[in-house]
């Protein structure tokens, strides 16, 4: 019998990055992506909102760039203390923090396999600063891709502990997992490095790819790949570097996974019907057959 789909979390809430060049990095997200600075922390971290939540992206000044943590919103029936207890039972370090960051009164930070810090919270403030009309101005934070040498263990953490399902993989290297209807909310890349691969934001519609790329180019930022359609997830995606060479993905039209059916909602561009989780080859990265010089595996 198919395991019941009932993850402990329902969405990715925020990503926190350490940056050696906070001003330039912040300006990129404010001016080119149209985010709003909502608050500044005691440690000079800046809290940036896409339009509703207190923060979708946190930037903290540091000497080296790094993925600090990612935050997931717990389902109502799972409390912060439940999550902390369950993580400790699994042998993981879990620290409950109160007022550790603006906008999130209580959270638990778990050290997941590979040393990835994952925060879980039940509520985040929603000052709703509004969506900007300038720059790429995405709708929402969609997913994060994490490179780790502990890929199998981190995948097991997401699947077995948090209840995510694996929706696809590319050559067993990139592994796509979801806790909701989006094809992927995390992408775990198995490689001998520990860092963020990319952070992805959903645009309003596919026509926005043109204006987003125009806005980036006007700011001197070139695209690395796309806009083009992926195979795994079938999102129309375009990638660029932020000022720290952290890859930013802007995407639309991501597959919607139907856990009850174990398949993605059918789309005209699917070449596999029904579109069930599968392992794609490295040569199948692009659904339109386009060949891009940029190799996402080494970004
Ligand atoms: Fe992505």
């Amino acid at each position: 019998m198919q395991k019941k789909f009932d993850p402990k979390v329902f969405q990715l809430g925020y990503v926190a990055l350490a940056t050696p060049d906070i001003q330039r990095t912040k300006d990129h997200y404010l001016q080119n992506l149209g985010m709003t600075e909502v608050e500044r922390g005691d440690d000079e971290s800046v809290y940036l909102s896409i339009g509703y939540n207190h923060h979708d992206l946190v930037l903290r000044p540091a000497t080296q760039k790094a993925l600090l943590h990612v935050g997931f919103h717990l389902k109502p029936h799972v409390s912060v203390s439940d999550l902390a207890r369950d993580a400790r039972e699994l042998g993981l370090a879990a620290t409950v923090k109160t007022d550790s960051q603006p906008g999130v009164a209580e959270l638990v930070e778990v050290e997941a396999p590979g040393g990835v810090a994952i925060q879980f919270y039940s509520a985040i403030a929603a000052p709703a600063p509004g969506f900007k009309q300038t720059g790429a101005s995405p709708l929402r934070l969609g997913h994060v891709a994490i490179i780790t040498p502990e890929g199998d263990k981190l995948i097991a953490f997401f699947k077995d502990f948090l209840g995510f399902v694996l929706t696809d993989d590319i050559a067993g290297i990139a592994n796509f997992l979801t806790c909701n209807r989006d094809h992927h909310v995390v992408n775990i890349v198995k490689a001998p490095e520990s860092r963020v691969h990319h952070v992805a934001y959903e645009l309003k519609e596919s026509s926005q790819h043109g204006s987003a790329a125009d806005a980036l180019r006007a700011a001197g930022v070139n695209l690395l790949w796309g806009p083009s359609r992926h195979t795994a997830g079938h999102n129309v995606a375009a990638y660029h570097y932020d000022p720290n060479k952290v890859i930013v993905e802007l995407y639309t039209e991501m597959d919607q996974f139907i856990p009850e059916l174990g398949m993605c909602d059918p789309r005209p561009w699917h070449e596999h019907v029904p579109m069930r989780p599968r392992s794609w080859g490295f040569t199948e990265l692009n659904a339109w057959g386009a060949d891009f010089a940029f190799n996402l595996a080494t970004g």
Side-chain angles (χ1 to χ4, degrees):
M1 203 176 104
Q2 197 176 339
K3 201 176 141 200
K4 192 177 167 221
F5 181 70
D6 186 20
K8 290 183 167 78
V9 300
F10 65 93
Q11 67 180 8
L12 174 66
Y14 51 84
V15 174
L17 303 173
T19 165
D21 190 348
I22 187 96
Q23 192 59 47
R24 226 157 52 91
T25 308
K26 187 178 81 168
D27 286 348
H28 176 72
Y29 289 100
L30 292 181
Q31 290 160 21
N32 304 337
L33 265 72
M35 294 185 186
T36 300
E37 182 175 346
V38 168
E39 198 161 346
R40 188 171 292 226
D42 298 335
D43 59 358
E44 294 299 306
S45 291
V46 290
Y47 292 80
L48 305 180
S49 174
I50 290 173
Y52 179 72
N53 284 323
H54 182 278
H55 51 274
D56 301 277
L57 179 67
V58 184
L59 301 174
R60 184 195 296 167
T63 51
Q64 285 194 320
K65 70 173 178 177
L67 173 63
L68 295 172
H69 56 256
V70 296
F72 286 95
H73 204 142
L74 290 164
K75 286 213 180 132
H77 64 275
V78 182
S79 69
V80 163
S81 54
D82 288 342
L83 197 292
R85 181 201 60 217
D86 293 350
R88 287 178 191 133
E89 277 178 13
L90 207 62
L92 300 173
T95 311
V96 175
K97 299 180 177 183
T98 310
D99 295 326
S100 64
Q101 66 182 267
V104 182
E106 188 191 33
L107 61 88
V108 54
E109 184 169 298
V110 175
E111 189 181 330
V116 181
I118 305 184
Q119 299 184 345
F120 300 92
Y121 58 91
S122 296
I124 181 167
F131 293 86
K132 292 275 181 61
Q133 301 293 328
T134 53
S137 54
L139 284 180
R140 57 189 278 265
L141 172 67
H143 62 270
V144 60
I146 298 169
I147 307 180
T148 174
E150 301 283 345
D152 288 333
K153 287 183 187 165
L154 190 58
I155 291 165
F157 173 81
F158 275 96
K159 279 176 67 179
D160 304 335
F161 179 67
L162 293 178
F164 282 54
V165 290
L166 189 77
T167 50
D168 268 326
D169 71 76
I170 297 172
I173 305 291
N175 300 273
F176 301 90
L177 297 126
T178 191
C179 62
N180 54 38
R181 298 233 159 197
D182 287 344
H183 176 272
H184 53 281
V185 178
V186 290
N187 172 3
I188 296 170
V189 181
K190 295 185 200 173
E193 283 185 82
S194 296
R195 63 179 175 90
V196 64
H197 186 275
H198 65 268
V199 182
Y201 304 90
E202 184 179 11
L203 296 178
K204 290 187 275 288
E205 53 177 308
S206 287
S207 65
Q208 296 289 315
H209 279 293
S211 54
D214 284 340
L216 289 168
R217 177 65 187 173
V221 180
N222 292 333
L223 292 187
L224 300 166
W225 191 98
S228 200
R229 191 183 298 287
H230 277 301
T231 48
H234 291 88
N235 39 323
V236 177
Y239 299 82
H240 68 268
Y241 281 134
D242 82 359
N244 290 309
K245 279 204 156 187
V246 169
I247 300 173
V248 177
E249 174 187 347
L250 302 174
Y251 74 91
T252 52
E253 300 187 26
M254 179 176 278
D255 278 345
Q256 294 295 291
F257 186 70
I258 311 170
E260 293 83 354
L261 298 176
M263 60 180 270
C264 290
D265 215 6
R267 292 286 183 266
W269 42 83
H270 286 167
E271 294 183 353
H272 301 81
V273 180
M275 190 60 255
R276 296 193 189 283
R278 67 188 301 275
S279 188
W280 301 84
F282 258 133
T283 55
E284 296 180 294
L285 199 59
N286 192 282
W288 294 338
D291 190 17
F292 294 97
F294 178 68
N295 182 355
L296 284 173
T298 58

